[in-house]
Amino acid sequence: MVEADQLTKTYPDLQVGKFVALDHVSFSVGEGEIFGLLGPNGAGKTTALRILSTVLQPTEGSARVNGFDVVTHPDEVRHSIGFVSNNTAIYERMTAWEMVEYFGRLYGLAPDHLEARMHEVFEQLQMMDIRDVAGGRMSTGMQQKVNIARAIVHDPPVLVFDEASIGLDVLVARALLDIISGLRDEGKCIIFSTHIMREVERLCDRVGILHRGKMLAYGTLSELAEQRGEDDFEELFFRLLKESDQNEVAEISSDRKSAVTTVSLWGKP
Amino acid sequence: MNWKHVQLIFQREMTDQLRDRRTLFTITVLPLLLYPFLGMLMMQVAQFKNDSSVRVQVVGLEHWPSDQPLLDAEGDLVVEPGMERVAKLIDFESIPWNTNLNPLAADREAGDDDISAVESRARNAVTLDQADLVLIVQPDFSQRLKERLRGSVGESDSPAAGASDVAAAQSAELDDGLQVVANLARDRSQIARKRLETVLESWQRNWASSYLEEAGVSPGVFRPLALNATDLAPASVKRAMLWSKVLPFVMLIWALTGAFYPAIDLCAGEKERGTLETLLSSPARRREIVWGKLGAICLFSIGSALLNLLSMHLTAGMIVKQLASQGTPQLAEALGPMPFHALGWLVLLLLPMAAFFSALALAVAALARSTKEGQYYLMPLLLVTLPLVALPLMPSLELNLGTSLVPVSGAIFLVRSLIEGRYIEALVHLPVVLLVTATCCWFSVRWAIRQFESESVMFRESGRWNIRIWVHHLWRDREDTASPAEAVLCGVIIIVSMFFAQFLAGSSIDSWAAIAKSTFVVQVGLILTPCLLMAIFLTRSFTRALRLHKPQPSHLVAAIMLGLCMHPSYMLLSSGIQQVYQIGEETQLVLQHFQSMVTAQPLWAVLLLMAVLPAICEELAFRGFIFGGLLRQHGVLRAIIISALFFGFTHTVLQQSISASVMGLVLGFIAWRTGGVICTMLVHAINNALSLSMAWFGANSVDLPVALDWALTHQDGAYVYNPTWTTASMVLSIGLLFIISRRSSETRRFAQTELA
């Protein structure tokens, strides 16, 4: 359902020249599966998910969503995906109903179908009591529910949740995970990015661990535990990150040494 | 383009803005309240200013001529009929020369009836705010006036001579015995002086008339001529002229302001609140989002301007009525009411201008990361657009081909003509104004769409800026050609340095040596050096940065022929521009002097300095470094237009700048299709060489071979092209440009690398 192949994204950067936000990352997610994209802040999770939702374009590599290429067929991709991020907010001066209706119409749903679908979604997410509340008057949890309703109103086969539980209290976060779990049961392909281990353990069928734009590990939780000989997923996560950092330091110092060698060789022809 | 998306976004933005109390207040409530409030304030202030009396002390009124008193028996000022209102607004206080009155009594001493003592007391009175003005009538005022007049009349033999003496006495009377003491830094003193002068002028006229009558001369001798003017302009048209200047200015300023605030909220505000990313991930494409938002912004801009106009219209009507009832019917007649048909024409002007301003505001607002940052962009936007809106306010500027070509101003001039009823003139210039306005709108909308399509604009993150890191970045991350920003910087450096060099040079260029020196300094020092230095330090490949790409042979041949064939068109264009924008006499004299100095030199030297050198330096800078930088990221149109504008700006005379800019567009096209500057150097050098040679041959009366008679004619000491050759050369030029536009596969591949 979702395939990312050698996805790379670089940005011009004043400090380092070219900042590699995503470095040849590959993964795939199937129907009725929740794929957890895990990593600390700045790992490249949001960049990867923005590329999948066609908000950004990859510098290299390709990605397909529901069989459509994100660069060549962005319109089809957008119709196939629902994108919820901690960066995507709701309109303060629109009610929950108006907002979901607006996006439903943008997705091209026929008025009758849209009405029925909205009732279905509002009931599913238990939002009927807030349907006429303006976005500016809602709590964070309510806002996130509206955001999810907005993302699923057109019943997309793929759903992307980018750190969607950030800022939510325990109860609302739990409700959110239940909703996502329910959506998986409906056969949706879900990509769920987070840096909270417990959410991953509870929800994800497979995970990919991203750090500094690189995919450090990829597989089911049990596969990863077996490969690394570590049952505690949180420990495994920290070990991977530590190893990656140590490797990088070693690479840099080796580069410096070779540079020094080159200079001395030039000095002694 | 899915117009349903556009409509949905437009509707949502409209609903959203209409629910925002701040926007509603700024756009709708404020204009409706502002003008009535300002009008009321103005009327009250004016009333207060007009109705409050000023205090004038007159010291020594007893010295005033008794046969022509200043005050009547009741102590009121004696003035001509119609001046009573002014007279009533002066509180006269007469202080006899020798009477003890405060503050004169305070330091009164024996024998202090001399002028300096009185003057010192008058100063005190003004300083202590006991009077706004003191008029001192000296003891011998009356006597001196009479003696002088009597002497003058006695000496003269004819009534006419007597009259001239009366006039002389009249002009000197204030110096002969009257003195005014006032503090003119204060408004009240200034008003007092004006009113006093009005009253004294009235007295003067009465006084002069009585003496002239005594001498048997008619007082009408002072006004031997009376012009009976027949004004064909109806009062409504005259009123229209006044309003046609003020209204477009006010309306367009509000249109810009009305566009800017919603643009900030719908763009930077949405970025800040995170709702923009929600929309960007929806099925709506970027251009659909821009059109939807643009529609809403445009409607707010129009609404804001119209409400201001309406409010101003109503307020002006009320003020005019008030003025008429307050006894100033002339002013009321001159002002209004505001002609209603003017409003219709203004609405017509408003529609394209609102679209233009809205697109500009949206593009600028897209740059901002937050509403606060967006506010900072209002001032630069105003600074760019204000001169265009204010230009039509300048006196003696009217609608013509020249002004109709100026964006915004041209449209205002057109509407002014329509308001003033000059329909034929407006109709003639309508196509040009429409074309310019449509082009501006197209470019601004295109810019806004590009802003929304740019990831670096939409997802710009704030980072700490450090000069050391930035300089390091410039060196470390340099590429084969300049970046667009570096290209623009190079152009700006050239223009600014030339601007200052022009001031430094002043008018010292009065010899061939000075011309040679200044041309060399400008071309090598100010145009070539910045681009060479930037190419060395900011790019990795010197030859790529300066676009020293070897052209294909067919392009070389076509370029040489194009240089020869395009020159008649260039000359035609230059003379056409000079007819539209006439060169001032002074500039013409300077240019003639310059040409006479140049044509007195050997032709080879002139061509080397003024044809070959500029062709090399200017092409390397404008079609080389600057063009190459702007070409990146698929900016072909951007490179052609901006490099042409920079090229035009380096020519100091406006008319030359315009023709050079047009020429720059053609050279830009050649530079793009040939992939380098060699061909443009040839075209440029040949074009300059032909202009200089024709002037040189004409000035030195050199007969050209008979074989060239089919192309050139000698007229009034100059060579000009035959119309037949001019027409034929135009056709040939188009054909040659077509040849140049055809590229070999190698040139095409190279062009692709330049666009990356």
Side-chain angles (χ1 to χ4, degrees), chain A residues 19 25 33-34 57 63 73 78 85 93 110 120 127 169 177 191 204 211 251:
Chain A
F19 175 72
V25 168
E33 185 184 12
I34 298 180
Q57 289 216 332
H73 294 86
R78 285 169 193 215
S85 153
R93 295 186 284 266
E120 193 184 320
M127 285 168 54
D169 65 42
L177 297 188
I191 303 175
C204 299
H211 183 47
E251 266 177 40

Side-chain angles (χ1 to χ4, degrees), chain A residues 9-18 46 50 53-58 75 78-79 81 83 85 87-95 98-99 101-109 111 147 150 162, chain B residues 2 4-5 7-13 15-17 19-23 265 270 273-286 289 293 455 459 461 464-466 469-470 472-473 476-477:
Chain A
K9 181 72 184 175
T10 57
Y11 298 106
D13 184 87
L14 213 60
Q15 192 108 34
V16 292
K18 199 159 68 174
T46 301
R50 275 178 174 170
S53 60
T54 74
V55 173
L56 294 180
Q57 289 216 332
D75 292 341
R78 285 169 193 215
H79 275 95
I81 207 165
F83 183 56
S85 153
N87 292 317
T88 53
I90 63 166
Y91 296 111
E92 287 177 4
R93 295 186 284 266
M94 279 179 110
T95 64
E98 285 173 336
M99 167 119 177
E101 188 186 24
Y102 170 59
F103 278 92
R105 290 176 73 188
L106 275 178
Y107 280 110
L109 300 186
N147 228 335
R150 185 265 307 161
D162 180 21
Chain B
N2 185 335
K4 197 160 181 218
H5 286 169
Q7 189 195 343
L8 275 170
I9 294 167
F10 167 75
Q11 282 171 351
R12 196 214 78 80
E13 305 300 8
T15 315
D16 196 60
Q17 290 300 303
R19 286 177 183 175
D20 183 18
R21 273 176 295 181
R22 285 167 305 178
T23 309
D265 187 57
E270 284 211 31
R273 295 188 290 268
T275 47
L276 194 62
E277 193 169 338
T278 315
L279 189 60
L280 292 177
S281 65
S282 79
R285 293 179 189 168
R286 304 288 166 98
I289 296 173
K293 286 183 181 288
E455 286 179 7
F459 298 97
E461 305 252 330
R464 194 169 59 88
W465 191 83
N466 177 307
I469 295 173
W470 182 69
H472 181 58
H473 146 79
R476 182 197 55 209
D477 302 327

Side-chain angles (χ1 to χ4, degrees), chain B residues 540-751:
Chain B
R540 288 187 190 277
S541 166
F542 188 71
T543 49
R544 283 286 306 273
L546 296 176
R547 302 186 77 239
L548 294 165
H549 178 67
K550 192 178 151 196
Q552 61 189 70
S554 64
H555 283 168
L556 264 181
V557 177
I560 293 169
M561 288 174 69
L562 189 65
L564 294 167
C565 293
M566 215 169 60
H567 190 249
S569 308
Y570 179 72
M571 295 298 277
L572 194 68
L573 174 77
S574 301
S575 72
I577 289 169
Q578 283 179 26
Q579 275 174 8
V580 175
Y581 303 96
Q582 304 244 318
I583 297 182
E585 266 181 47
E586 269 185 40
T587 315
Q588 212 146 22
L589 282 173
V590 172
L591 289 175
Q592 278 168 4
H593 180 57
F594 183 83
Q595 193 172 324
S596 66
M597 284 190 289
V598 170
T599 50
Q601 308 310 314
L603 184 60
W604 66 266
V606 174
L607 293 183
L608 202 64
L609 188 77
M610 305 184 86
V612 179
L613 184 68
I616 294 171
C617 297
E618 289 173 357
E619 290 312 310
L620 281 173
F622 299 109
R623 254 68 58 181
F625 186 83
I626 294 174
F627 193 90
L630 293 166
L631 209 53
R632 275 172 55 180
Q633 298 155 9
H634 299 269
V636 179
L637 201 60
R638 174 179 69 183
I640 292 175
I641 292 171
I642 298 178
S643 67
L645 289 176
F646 277 134
F647 178 57
F649 278 133
T650 53
H651 295 73
T652 42
V653 181
L654 172 74
Q655 291 76 4
Q656 285 178 353
S657 290
I658 298 169
S659 48
S661 296
V662 178
M663 186 68 173
L665 293 175
V666 181
L667 289 170
F669 174 76
I670 299 167
W672 159 231
R673 301 307 289 186
T674 59
V677 291
I678 308 292
C679 291
T680 58
M681 274 183 192
L682 285 171
V683 176
H684 193 154
I686 293 169
N687 189 69
N688 282 10
L690 285 173
S691 296
L692 290 162
S693 304
M694 280 168 70
W696 193 89
F697 288 135
N700 293 296
S701 305
V702 175
D703 291 328
L704 290 175
V706 185
L708 289 175
D709 279 359
W710 56 273
L712 292 160
T713 312
H714 196 247
Q715 260 180 19
D716 307 326
Y719 280 102
V720 290
Y721 285 109
N722 287 329
T724 323
W725 167 236
T726 305
T727 316
S729 69
M730 278 182 198
V731 178
L732 279 171
S733 301
I734 293 167
L736 288 163
L737 282 171
F738 178 72
I739 292 171
I740 284 176
S741 71
R742 294 175 69 85
R743 295 176 291 182
S744 66
S745 52
E746 192 211 339
T747 314
R748 210 174 293 131
R749 266 198 306 277
F750 178 74

